Amino acid sequence: MKRLALHWQILFALVLATLTGIVFRSLFHGVAEEGTLVARALSFSQFVGDLFMQALKMIIVPLIVTSVISGIASLQGVKGFGRLGAKTFGFYAMSSLLAVVTGLVLVNLIEPGLVDGQPNEVIRKVFDAKQAAASDADLEKVASANMKEPKDFLDTIKMMVPENIFAAATNNGQMLGVIVFSLLFAIGITRLPAEEMRTLKEFFQAGNDVMITITKWIMAISPIGVYALMFPVIFQNGPDVFAEMAKYFATVLLALGFHMFVTMPLILTFVAKVNPWAHLRAMREALLLGFSTASSSGTLPVTMRCVQDHAGVSKRTSSFTLPLGATVNMDGTALYECVAVVFVAQVLNYQLGFGEQFMIVTAALLTSIGVAGIPSASLVAILLILKNSGIPDAQAATAVVALLSVDRILDMVRTAVNIFGDSCAAVVIAKSEGEKVLEDVPA
Ligand code: ASP
């Protein structure tokens, strides 16, 4: 018998958690007295949920390190790679920045985490559920973390250059430093003699493949994780949370839609001087596949075919820009990370100053480089940025769980945006290299 696709399994787990949560909630009026069966069921559920979250956290460092290093180091070995590399990175940085700014502006305008200017209490309760179940010591830690002064701009810059890379890798708040170090390391690799360079590149590429495999294993048990994490939440809070998330959904979809249908078409029209709708049509297959798989890496072969065969970009340009783009350029993901983090901060009534918003933009840009092109990969990055913003561990973890449980649709859309961004980069760069692009496609 064919196994049910993972996203259906997750959805099923979610529905089941909601239903059992509601049933238990009405049977026990939402109170689990110590020693009762329901209390034991809740604590077992929390235990399994914690294991799942810890597994996700376990892979943060190696996943980011191997993916950044293998992605950047693959620049070497292409003729004229200096010029092409500079253009590609310039475009990736600019388009991701535009995406993040779109997300930041909309999330600040729409304020999906607030109701009449106040934090949305229903969602807040869900985020706080873990905190309510935590021990006194945990609560103290949370309280002191809550009072921490917001980090300013200079602190953020300092975090990018950690004095001890191993300490930075073990300390959750220092991941920016790990990413910057990985970037430097990757550039260093491209300066090595050919033989040594190949060895290291293959090593990190293989390491990255292993990390993606482990991520897939973790994702394979995600239905159990989602159930275990959501059941106590629904038991304690009721199911209202999904209706409350509607404004958040709308904000993310509006921002992604703006980037894909306004920003990118403007760039295609005025920078590459090609018809954006012709390009959209050329990319149809890849966009649909990306939408249904929620994996830009998995879609890469089709993306390459569309860009080469339908949009008419040369093999030289596309085989350089697209694999790199699938690894490091994720406009939709960067935008989503930014909206999600600000949304969680709004719900938790955590004030974000200029320094922190800048940190979020920088972190969204940098972590989107490190996020793997597989389903729900950006949730790990969101967890990381939340912690970097001074949001206590327990609340950040529960918030990410809440986001994970409603992630699939948003993941499908942002993956399509990621793929579209890569394909636009290929077209713009091909045009700048004097190639004839999208000539045969009728306007
Ligand atoms: N699923 C996305 C992709 O493959 C990554 C993410 O944002 O989770 O592009």
Side-chain angles (χ1 to χ4, degrees):
M1 203 178 73
K2 216 171 149 267
R3 266 183 81 180
L4 203 61
L6 186 66
H7 58 275
W8 288 117
Q9 292 181 32
I10 295 181
L11 199 68
F12 181 70
L14 183 66
V15 173
L16 200 66
T18 310
L19 291 180
T20 44
I22 294 172
V23 170
F24 275 75
R25 185 177 161 80
S26 60
L27 284 179
F28 299 92
H29 310 290
V31 234
E33 272 170 46
E34 228 176 286
T36 57
L37 195 67
V38 65
R40 262 184 249 148
L42 281 176
S43 64
F44 181 68
S45 191
Q46 264 153 4
F47 168 74
V48 177
D50 283 348
L51 270 185
F52 176 62
M53 276 316 291
Q54 279 174 223
L56 272 178
K57 289 188 212 164
M58 174 179 80
I59 56 167
I60 291 181
V61 174
L63 184 66
I64 288 184
V65 169
T66 53
S67 139
V68 171
I69 294 181
S70 59
I72 305 293
S74 68
L75 269 173
Q76 181 66 4
V78 180
K79 245 194 180 166
F81 104 93
R83 190 191 59 226
L84 213 55
K87 278 190 207 169
T88 308
F89 272 103
F91 187 87
Y92 287 164
M94 184 207 62
S95 67
S96 297
L97 183 66
L98 287 174
V100 174
V101 169
T102 305
L104 195 67
V105 168
L106 283 178
V107 75
N108 277 303
L109 279 180
I110 302 177
E111 300 185 323
L114 305 181
V115 180
D116 301 326
Q118 295 302 316
N120 185 321
E121 278 308 316
V122 182
I123 305 179
R124 196 194 155 96
K125 270 196 207 147
V126 176
F127 288 3
D128 284 348
K130 191 119 179 170
Q131 191 177 335
S135 68
D136 280 357
D138 283 342
L139 287 178
E140 232 168 70
K141 247 196 334 212
V142 168
S144 62
N146 259 335
M147 287 181 321
K148 238 200 286 172
E149 283 294 307
K151 289 185 197 73
D152 71 9
F153 175 70
L154 290 180
D155 282 338
T156 310
I157 304 277
K158 266 170 135 182
M159 258 161 45
M160 292 182 184
V161 190
E163 53 183 334
N164 179 341
I165 186 65
F166 294 103
T170 21
N171 180 351
N172 282 319
Q174 298 277 305
M175 209 48 67
L176 273 184
V178 176
I179 293 175
V180 172
F181 179 80
S182 305
L183 283 170
L184 291 175
F185 195 92
I187 296 168
I189 289 180
T190 65
R191 303 285 152 88
L192 287 173
E195 194 50 37
E196 288 170 25
M197 182 180 72
R198 222 193 57 209
T199 312
L200 273 184
K201 260 168 56 181
E202 284 174 356
F203 173 79
F204 280 101
Q205 185 53 54
N208 188 232
D209 292 346
V210 173
M211 289 322 299
I212 290 180
T213 306
I214 298 180
T215 312
K216 281 190 193 141
W217 289 339
I218 298 173
M219 286 313 289
I221 54 156
S222 63
I224 301 174
V226 165
Y227 182 88
L229 291 160
M230 288 312 286
F231 170 66
V233 170
I234 302 288
F235 179 82
Q236 281 148 2
N237 302 281
D240 309 2
V241 62
F242 300 113
E244 298 295 327
M245 295 287 254
K247 211 165 147 195
Y248 168 65
F249 259 69
T251 311
V252 175
L253 293 179
L254 201 67
L256 287 173
F258 189 89
H259 187 71
M260 182 150 164
F261 296 111
V262 179
T263 311
M264 285 324 234
L266 283 176
I267 292 177
L268 286 175
T269 309
F270 293 106
V271 181
K273 308 232 174 350
V274 298
N275 182 328
W277 306 116
H279 180 61
L280 252 177
R281 264 205 304 277
M283 292 307 299
R284 249 181 332 210
E285 269 173 42
L287 294 177
L288 281 177
L289 191 72
F291 184 76
S292 38
T293 58
S295 168
S296 42
S297 295
T299 311
L300 184 62
V302 180
T303 313
M304 294 199 71
R305 210 188 62 222
C306 288
V307 169
Q308 288 170 2
D309 296 355
H310 302 161
V313 175
S314 72
K315 279 218 166 66
R316 172 184 175 269
T317 306
S318 57
S319 61
F320 174 73
T321 56
L322 291 177
L324 190 68
T327 323
V328 302
N329 180 47
M330 298 199 176
D331 294 356
T333 294
L335 181 157
Y336 178 67
E337 286 176 16
C338 189
V339 174
V341 169
V342 177
F343 166 70
V344 172
Q346 286 173 351
V347 172
L348 297 177
N349 202 15
Y350 191 83
Q351 308 298 331
L352 297 173
F354 175 77
E356 279 169 325
Q357 300 235 3
F358 177 83
M359 197 285 287
I360 291 170
V361 168
T362 316
L365 286 175
L366 290 176
T367 53
S368 73
I369 296 174
V371 165
I374 53 173
S376 290
S378 48
L379 290 167
V380 181
I382 291 169
L383 187 65
L384 190 77
I385 304 177
L386 284 173
K387 289 175 169 190
N388 263 326
S389 317
I391 290 173
D393 271 22
Q395 281 178 318
T398 336
V400 168
V401 172
L403 297 183
L404 172 65
S405 57
V406 293
D407 190 49
R408 184 67 189 190
I409 306 244
L410 299 180
D411 196 7
M412 288 156 78
V413 180
R414 68 177 181 260
T415 304
V417 174
N418 287 342
I419 291 168
F420 192 63
D422 294 344
S423 73
C424 290
V427 164
V428 171
I429 288 154
K431 269 291 210 165
S432 78
E433 295 278 300
E435 292 177 26
K436 285 189 165 45
V437 177
L438 285 163
E439 298 277 296
D440 310 327
V441 187

